[in-house]
Amino acid sequence: MLKKQLVSLGIVSWALFSIINLLMSSEFVKLKSQISTSDMIKSLIVSGVLYFIPIIIGALGHNDGYYVLALVIIVYSVALVNVILSMINASDANMTIKAVMIFASLAALVFNGYWMILAFRYRHRLDKIRDEKKYQDIKKWQEQQKK
């Protein structure tokens, strides 16, 4: 169950970042320097690759993919903080647009935090399963030693 949530919420995290990134590159946020369309497409492709490769690896049963995905989400969360700072310091848009962009970035940060909580829960569950298996192995070994 947690594994499916990690995969689906990882995809949503990428979608949130991509939408905010597209909005930041548009003219309506009125940044002092605009991003070209080709750079935006490159950014979306790179973020898609960085998100989806670990998601696929994790979905195939290799839990290391979730560790890499956590790192990617942390890096893109820093980018969301940059969006907030850019809206405060470098945007000439009206206060409503600034507030919407800041709120969207904060919402995406909270969402990424929720993903991290689920990832920690999944890791904790894996640790419990591993520890229980080790406990059973030790118990079996002790019983064999008594014979």
Side-chain angles (χ1 to χ4, degrees), residues 42-102:
K42 290 175 191 174
S43 172
L44 287 174
I45 291 170
V46 168
S47 68
V49 168
L50 288 174
Y51 266 88
F52 287 109
I53 287 177
I55 288 173
I56 291 168
I57 291 170
L60 291 174
H62 301 285
N63 293 322
D64 294 341
Y66 297 118
Y67 298 121
V68 174
L69 183 57
L71 181 64
V72 168
I73 287 176
I74 289 169
V75 168
Y76 280 104
S77 293
V78 172
L80 291 170
V81 171
N82 187 39
V83 168
I84 294 169
L85 296 174
S86 294
M87 291 308 298
I88 292 170
N89 297 322
S91 175
D92 293 328
N94 65 35
M95 288 302 283
T96 305
I97 292 172
K98 285 182 178 184
V100 167
M101 291 302 295
I102 290 170

Side-chain angles (χ1 to χ4, degrees), residues 31-46:
L31 288 176
K32 292 176 176 122
S33 62
Q34 291 295 320
I35 300 169
S36 70
T37 305
S38 65
D39 287 340
M40 179 50 52
I41 291 171
K42 290 175 191 174
S43 172
L44 287 174
I45 291 170
V46 168

